[in-house]
């Protein structure tokens, strides 16, 4: 009997003529856009806070925004919530408690829901950690960036290294057995020893998760207009290789381009992003990715400026774009190929509703270039593919 698979690509599985789309898990992203001050490298939607944060009005707006998005839940519970910013820890526990209660009244929480709050190491915020934990927030992401005074000054940070260490101690004391430290490398005038010194101090705090990523200079930032002196490419490469080895030595497995975790401690909220899950986005400038039971997938975004978001005469929604079938392969792979282990090949059809063999020609080309692993059951970048991810993704552009 002749083989029914394509002879030109025998390493790929046979075509499934009826791919079955499945509604993915649902998460919630909450954007709180205020910071004490704007950092010179930051291109996020963040704004310097005034003396009085409009907590009550903003929580009211967030809940009204969520009300308008409720039809997109389609009966699914929330598997995770992420408070991002900005600096969400500027908000009081009372305000966040009212918000969480309001969210749960509208959408049920999964029994094992992960709720993450981004926090900065300032002393004032540390005092709130215990109250946050009692609300049900069970994961912190602490924005350290560096422990060295000169590097923190160059980055425009308002804390010092000692405060960052105390923040980790107080997180544990408040009952957080799961927390991330956010750390940057490739900083102005940073040497290999500087970068590894930061990593060693971070590891000594025993976080369950480390986000360790290279500083990039983005448009519409102070650094873009006044570029700092950054390390040479050879130094950046040495930092990357030596840092990854140090993290692995201490039990932090790299599971995504810039994410390292102890066993079982990968960030579930972010894994949902990277496996093309759905997420509601509420708050000024928040983005979402949503699916319908019939397989329509869209990207959404909200009104960007806080003053407009808080204006009852204006809409929370600023736009929605439905992804075409031609765009879905790139959109899907742009996320899953960031993961060190990629994903099961069958997830492509489950998340997009498209047949797997739609990727056949591009997969074969990427495999010949050594950028994609030759495994018919998985979609996984090679080591070279991870290093040159943009080159790999070019094969899947519409």
């Amino acid at each position: 009997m002749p083989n029914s698979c394509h002879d030109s690509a025998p390493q790929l599985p046979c075509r499934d003529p009826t791919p079955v789309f499945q509604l993915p898990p649902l998460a919630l992203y909450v954007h709180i856009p205020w910071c004490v001050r704007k950092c010179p490298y930051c291109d996020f939607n963040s704004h310097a806070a005034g003396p009085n944060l409009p907590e009550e009005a903003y929580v009211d707006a967030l809940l009204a925004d969520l009300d308008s998005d409720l039809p997109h839940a389609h009966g699914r519970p929330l598997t995770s919530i992420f408070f991002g910013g900005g600096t969400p820890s500027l908000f009081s526990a009372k305000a966040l408690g009212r918000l969480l209660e309001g969210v749960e009244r509208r959408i049920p929480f999964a029994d094992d829901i992960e709720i993450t709050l981004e926090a900065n190491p300032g002393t004032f915020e540390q005092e709130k950690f215990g109250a946050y934990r009692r609300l049900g927030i069970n994961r912190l992401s602490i924005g350290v960036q560096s422990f060295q005074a000169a590097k923190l000054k160059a980055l425009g940070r308002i804390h010092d290294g000692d405060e960052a260490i105390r923040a980790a101690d107080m997180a544990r004391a408040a009952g957080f057995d799961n927390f991330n430290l956010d750390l940057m490398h490739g900083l102005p005038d940073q040497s290999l020893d500087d970068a590894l010194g930061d990593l060693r101090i971070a590891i000594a705090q025993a976080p369950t998760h480390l986000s360790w990523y290279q500083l990039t200079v983005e448009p519409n930032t102070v650094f873009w207009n006044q570029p700092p002196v950054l390390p040479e490419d050879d130094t950046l490469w040495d930092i990357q290789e030596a840092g990854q080895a140090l993290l692995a030595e201490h039990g932090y497995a790299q599971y995504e381009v810039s994410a390292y975790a102890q066993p079982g401690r990968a960030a579930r909220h972010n894994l949902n992003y990277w496996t093309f899950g759905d997420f509601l986005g509420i708050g000024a400038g928040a983005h979402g990715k949503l699916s319908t039971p019939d397989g329509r997938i869209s990207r959404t975004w909200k009104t960007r400026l806080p003053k407009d978001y808080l204006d009852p005469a204006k809409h929370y929604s600023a736009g929605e774009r439905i992804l075409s079938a031609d765009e879905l392969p790139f959109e899907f792979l742009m996320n899953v190929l960031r993961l060190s282990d990629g994903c099961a090949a069958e997830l492509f059809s489950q998340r997009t509703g498209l047949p797997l063999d739609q990727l056949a020609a591009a997969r074969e080309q990427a495999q010949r270039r050594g950028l994609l692993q030759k495994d018919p059951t998985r979609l996984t970048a090679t080591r070279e593919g991870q290093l040159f991810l943009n080159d790999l993704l070019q094969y899947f552009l519409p």
Side-chain angles (χ1 to χ4, degrees), residues 1 4 16 23 36 41 56 73 75 82 90 140 160-161 171 175 177 221 241 287 300 331 334 361 366 390 393:
M1 179 178 291
S4 60
D16 176 3
L23 273 177
V36 173
Y41 58 85
E56 290 296 311
F82 194 100
L90 289 178
L140 289 179
D160 60 32
D177 61 357
T221 65
E241 286 203 317
H287 286 242
T300 65
E331 289 276 338
M334 177 177 63
N390 287 339
L393 291 171

Side-chain angles (χ1 to χ4, degrees), residues 10-25:
Q11 77 275 19
L12 298 180
C14 298
R15 175 174 180 171
D16 176 3
T18 56
V20 179
F21 174 80
Q22 299 177 11
L23 273 177

Side-chain angles (χ1 to χ4, degrees), residues 141-193:
S141 182
I142 304 173
V144 172
Q145 314 313 350
S146 177
F147 293 92
Q148 299 170 29
K151 300 298 182 282
L152 289 167
K153 182 178 180 180
L155 292 173
R157 305 295 287 176
I158 61 173
H159 66 272
D160 60 32
D162 288 341
E163 282 181 313
I165 291 171
R166 285 198 298 273
D169 290 340
M170 293 193 71
R172 270 189 297 271
F176 287 97
D177 61 357
N178 190 14
F179 68 92
N180 168 67
L181 294 183
D182 222 30
L183 201 65
M184 300 172 74
H185 61 89
L187 305 180
D189 297 314
Q190 188 177 49
S191 67
L192 173 62
D193 286 344

Side-chain angles (χ1 to χ4, degrees), residues 190-201 212 239 242-243 246:
Q190 188 177 49
S191 67
L192 173 62
D193 286 344
D194 287 339
L196 294 183
D198 267 347
L199 259 185
R200 290 190 180 98
I201 295 173
W212 188 60
I239 289 172
L246 182 63

Side-chain angles (χ1 to χ4, degrees), residues 39 64 186 267 360:
C39 295

Side-chain angles (χ1 to χ4, degrees), residues 189-253:
D189 297 314
Q190 188 177 49
S191 67
L192 173 62
D193 286 344
D194 287 339
L196 294 183
D198 267 347
L199 259 185
R200 290 190 180 98
I201 295 173
I203 290 168
Q205 310 317 309
T208 49
H209 190 285
L210 272 162
S211 297
W212 188 60
Y213 55 95
Q214 183 178 322
L215 170 66
T216 56
V217 177
E218 303 288 353
N220 302 315
T221 65
V222 172
F223 276 0
W224 181 263
N225 296 314
Q226 303 171 30
V229 178
L230 300 180
E232 299 288 339
D233 286 346
D234 287 348
T235 301
L236 292 174
W237 182 257
D238 291 343
I239 289 172
Q240 185 77 22
E241 286 203 317
Q244 288 176 337
L246 182 63
L247 286 161
E249 177 187 338
H250 286 86
Y252 292 91

Side-chain angles (χ1 to χ4, degrees), residues 296-342:
R296 189 181 69 175
I297 299 172
S298 63
R299 298 284 189 185
T300 65
W301 56 97
K302 301 298 173 65
T303 298
R304 185 175 185 276
L305 294 177
K307 67 179 181 63
D308 293 334
Y309 185 82
L310 288 167
D311 185 345
K314 297 185 177 181
H315 295 290
Y316 299 116
S317 175
E320 177 179 8
R321 188 172 69 85
I322 298 172
L323 301 177
S324 69
D326 288 343
E327 293 175 293
L328 286 175
F330 179 83
E331 289 276 338
F332 176 85
L333 292 165
M334 177 177 63
N335 288 280
V336 301
L337 292 180
R338 290 180 62 91
L339 295 169
S340 300
D341 293 332

Side-chain angles (χ1 to χ4, degrees), residues 83 86-90 117-122 125 129 132 140-144 157 180:
F83 291 95
T87 306
S89 56
L90 289 178
L117 178 82
E118 288 186 336
N120 278 345
E125 289 144 24
F129 285 177
Y132 291 149
L140 289 179
S141 182
I142 304 173
V144 172
R157 305 295 287 176
N180 168 67

